[in-house]
């Protein structure tokens, strides 16, 4: 619809230009999914493709950094006796 050309129209046009040029191969992704389903200990999550892998790694790194920044406060919420036992 012409009414959407200025907003989502641009996105749709970009997606059309990218179609078929993505780095991910759907057939290889399907094979990876089949391997995971058949695995004895499948992962809870599976990042498919190098872009997804990079994104997940960056997210985990940011979360770990935040966790460490606030670890001192997190550890103060245990009952004192539990904290002492954990330190032993």
């Amino acid at each position: 619809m012409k009414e959407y050309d200025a907003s989502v129209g641009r996105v749709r046009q970009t997606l059309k230009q990218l179609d078929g040029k993505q780095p991910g191969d759907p057939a290889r992704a399907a094979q990876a999914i089949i391997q995971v389903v058949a695995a004895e200990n499948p992962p809870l999550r599976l990042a498919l493709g190098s872009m997804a892998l990079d994104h997940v790694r960056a997210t985990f790194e940011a979360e770990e950094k935040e966790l460490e920044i606030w670890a001192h406060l997190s550890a103060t919420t245990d009952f004192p006796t539990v904290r002492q036992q954990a330190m032993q």
Side-chain angles (χ1 to χ4, degrees), residues 68-84:
E68 290 307 314
I69 289 170
W70 292 99
H72 69 282
L73 183 60
S74 297
T76 66
T77 63
D78 291 343
F79 285 110
T81 55
V82 174
R83 194 171 343 126
Q84 289 171 355

Side-chain angles (χ1 to χ4, degrees), residues 1-52:
M1 295 175 69
K2 283 186 170 187
E3 294 81 9
Y4 294 103
D5 283 349
S7 58
V8 295
R10 286 186 243 161
V11 173
R12 290 176 54 102
Q13 186 60 35
T14 300
L15 291 176
K16 282 182 184 179
Q17 292 172 353
L18 294 174
D19 189 33
K21 299 174 186 158
Q22 303 92 327
D25 180 342
R28 290 176 184 234
Q31 289 301 314
I33 292 168
I34 291 168
Q35 287 182 34
V36 166
V37 170
E40 187 174 324
N41 295 308
L44 180 60
R45 293 173 189 83
L46 179 65
L48 294 173
S50 56
M51 286 177 59

Side-chain angles (χ1 to χ4, degrees), residues 55-69:
H55 178 73
V56 171
R57 281 186 174 140
T59 299
F60 286 169
E61 288 171 8
E63 289 176 357
E64 183 179 22
K65 189 175 185 179
E66 182 179 78
L67 180 68
E68 290 307 314
I69 289 170

